[in-house]
């Protein structure tokens, strides 16, 4: 049996462990990326590991998430990231240069390499044939120091693409179709690998749209082969030397194969408020739309925006529609500006936003109450737009333009216009002047890292107690996202100050006039008792936001007991010495209430070597069983009081 492309790349990077399916495998990381929302913590932790200079082929620190808020916090962070990158031997992509994933695809990603990023949409670079995985900042910090990244040797789901996209359907519709089949649940530990004749009909940015939103499936990553199309893209980026052809063996076997015929796809939308709530645009046609935004790391490539410009040329957006356009990178913005497409977009009535994440993370453009917003983004969890009770639809740029022009959700095939095919240029405009190169070793010695007063080194996790005594601080339901745990938006500027940021942990569950989650947690912590969170299915889904573990850890949370916990968040919990426990019997969830007193008498012993533990609900006088699904390394990390300490210990031993 031949190898999948996934396993070919993993095999060439195996450092520790085994690639037997389901086993922990430590792989060498060639490149890392961080963004400013997770990057300050990653670099603070990297510094406290004492690792010196980065040991990867290329590490890049990006500013894209949080660029325009009041107060000095953001700019203190930017200055810190700029100086710490220079000193540590990392590249730094400055604010305004673009969204990390798009810029990485354009300027750094190379086929066959591994990429670890402290952002859950890092798999975007799977579009150029990389194994690109999202993780917490601490995992990225360890990889920057030359340490292996551990993943579970994955099952590989093959997606066979046939045919060719028809006018007005887009690569976004491929991933929306796949989300309708695989949903956002049950795909943990899998990689999605695309193959088949249809692949060659997709450009690299189109492939990247698909791998980007593959994150919403909950898979480890997604990957496309590297072929003549990849070669042409790299050549147009003046990086032809980075090309190598890559494909799976012809007899590669997949866990399962899903076939998608590109020719028969139709425009689709993820309806409020989950990326897998998929309908065809025809089914929801006519829904009134008040706002449209084209942008984000999913859909703001040169071709996406050129298509939008060509359709809008000479037209104006519908009355009462607000249209925002955020180019994914400065390269795209520059090219649109010089070929006149930008002025067509402006003339149509669009508001031009910075090259950054902006509205995708609730930074501006929050929709008005009780209105529909249509976005080319990848996530529409409730409240992510910054508006409570929002109605966000996720669509292709084609469908977004149709909505902007008509004021309604409209199947773009019914616009009655010719579809403007956009060819990839033979040469993109290259201007890396906002990418700061790392300093050499001698210059780095003279570089002073700038730490503004709003940057606070995070408190280290504590060792696990023999026995856990605590109370349920919160009982929450299914699909709790990292946005619920740790809201971003206006609060994101506190990301470098954990005591301040921790004040809004689980803010969405706080009730006016009652003590907040943080108040209750700190009170318990001061009494020497542990905080416990009870949750339903897919706890921590959504993002790599490690503050969703770091801030609860600071507040004294020592265990999460859930029906299931998402991969990246589970790793983050372990990294910050919070024990992830699953109900042996999911119906036991019903028997626990908020504030119940809980004891786990043999916590430490169980974490050392057992697969289950006894949980005593002292309030209800009941005992139940919790499951521990931990690799030997996970256990060592928990017993070492977190990944940072674990890594320091390893470095001392070697
Ligand atoms: Fe940024 Fe949204 Fe992508 S926050 S990295 S544009 S998912």
């Amino acid at each position: 049996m031949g190898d999948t492309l996934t396993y070919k790349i993993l095999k060439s990077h195996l450092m520790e462990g085994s690639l037997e399916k389901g086993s922990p495998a430590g792989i060498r990381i060639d490149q890392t990326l961080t963004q400013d929302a997770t990057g300050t913590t990653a670099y603070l932790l990297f510094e406290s590991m004492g690792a010196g200079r980065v040991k990867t082929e290329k590490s890049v620190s990006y500013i894209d998430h949080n660029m325009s808020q009041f107060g000095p916090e953001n700019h203190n962070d930017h200055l810190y990231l700029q100086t710490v990158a220079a000193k540590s031997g990392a590249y730094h992509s400055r604010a305004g240069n673009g969204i990390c994933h798009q810029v990485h695809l354009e300027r750094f990603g190379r086929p066959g390499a591994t990429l670890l990023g402290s952002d859950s949409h890092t798999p975007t670079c799977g579009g150029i044939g990389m194994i690109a995985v999202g993780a917490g900042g601490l995992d990225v910090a360890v990889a920057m120091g030359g340490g292996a990244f551990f993943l579970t040797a994955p099952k590989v789901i093959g997606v066979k693409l046939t045919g060719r996209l028809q006018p007005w359907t887009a690569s976004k519709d491929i991933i929306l179709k796949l989300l309708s089949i695989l949903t956002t649940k049950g795909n943990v530990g899998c990689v999605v690998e695309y193959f088949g004749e249809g692949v060659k009909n997709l450009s690299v940015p189109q492939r990247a749209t698909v791998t980007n939103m593959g994150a919403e499936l909950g898979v480890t990553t997604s990957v496309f082969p590297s072929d003549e199309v990849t070669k042409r893209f790299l050549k147009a980026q003046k990086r032809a030397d980075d090309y190598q052809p890559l494909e799976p063996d012809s007899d590669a076997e997949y866990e399962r194969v899903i076939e998608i015929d590109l020719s028969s796809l139709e425009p689709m939308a993820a309806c409020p408020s989950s990326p897998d709530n998929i309908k065809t645009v025809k089914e929801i046609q006519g829904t009134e739309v008040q706002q449209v935004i084209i942008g984000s790391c999913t859909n703001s490539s040169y071709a996406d925006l050129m298509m939008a410009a060509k359709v809008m040329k000479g037209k104006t957006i519908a009355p009462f529609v607000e249209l925002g356009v955020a180019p994914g990178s400065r390269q795209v913005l520059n090219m649109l500006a010089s070929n006149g497409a930008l002025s067509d977009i402006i003339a149509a009535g669009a508001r031009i936003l910075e090259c950054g994440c902006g509205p995708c993370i609730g930074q501006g453009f929050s929709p008005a109450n009780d209105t529909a917003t249509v976005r080319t983004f990848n996530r529409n969890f409730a409240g992510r737009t910054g508006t409570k009770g929002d109605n966000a639809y996720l669509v292709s740029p084609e469908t977004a333009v149709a909505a902007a022009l008509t004021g309604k959700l409209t199947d773009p095939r019914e616009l009655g216009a010719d579809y403007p095919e956009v060819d990839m240029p033979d040469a993109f405009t290259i201007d890396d002047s906002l990418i700061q190169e790392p300093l050499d070793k001698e210059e780095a010695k003279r570089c002073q890292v700038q730490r503004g007063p709003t940057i606070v080194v995070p408190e280290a996790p504590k060792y696990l107690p023999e026995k856990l005594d605590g109370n349920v601080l919160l009982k929450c339901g299914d699909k709790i996202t990292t946005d619920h745990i740790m809201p971003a938006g206006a609060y994101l500027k506190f990301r470098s100050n954990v005591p301040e940021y921790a004040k809004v942990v689980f803010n969405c569950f706080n009730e006016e006039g009652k003590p907040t989650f943080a108040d209750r947690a700190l009170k318990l912590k001061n009494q020497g008792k542990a905080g416990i969170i009870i949750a339903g299915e897919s706890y921590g889904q959504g993002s790599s936001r490690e503050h969703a573990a770091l801030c609860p850890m600071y507040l004294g949370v020592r265990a999460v007991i859930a029906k299931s916990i998402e991969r990246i968040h589970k790793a983050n919990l372990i990294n910050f010495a919070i024990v992830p426990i699953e109900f042996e019997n999911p119906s036991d969830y019903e028997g626990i209430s908020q504030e119940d007193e809980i004891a786990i008498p043999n916590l430490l012993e169980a974490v050392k070597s057992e697969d289950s533990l006894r949980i005593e609900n002292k309030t209800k006088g009941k005992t139940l069983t919790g499951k521990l699904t931990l690799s030997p390394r996970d256990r060592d990390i928990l017993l070492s009081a977190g990944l940072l300490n674990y890594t320091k210990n390893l470095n001392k031993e070697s």
Side-chain angles (χ1 to χ4, degrees), residues 388 480 483-485 487 504-511:
K388 262 193 177 174
I480 294 297
D483 279 330
H484 291 114
I485 305 169
V504 293
V505 170
F506 286 118
N507 209 21
C508 58
F509 294 112
N510 290 334
E511 290 175 45

Side-chain angles (χ1 to χ4, degrees), residues 188 195 243 258 261 414 435 472 502 541 554 558 589 599 652:
V188 174
F195 67 100
Y243 174 68
I258 296 166
D261 173 13
E414 293 180 12
I435 297 179
V472 176
Q541 72 174 26
Y554 166 77
R558 306 290 342 236
Y589 166 87
K652 266 188 229 152

Side-chain angles (χ1 to χ4, degrees), residues 35 64-65 99-101 119-121 124 212 216 295-298 356-362 377-379 384 545:
Q35 34 87 339
D64 57 5
H65 272 56
I99 306 175
C100 56
H101 308 306
D119 188 280
S120 47
H121 291 96
T124 309
N212 169 286
E216 275 47 70
S296 88
C297 58
T298 320
C357 300
C360 179
I361 196 166
F377 304 172
N378 48 35
R379 290 199 168 140
R384 184 174 168 94
R545 196 172 300 162

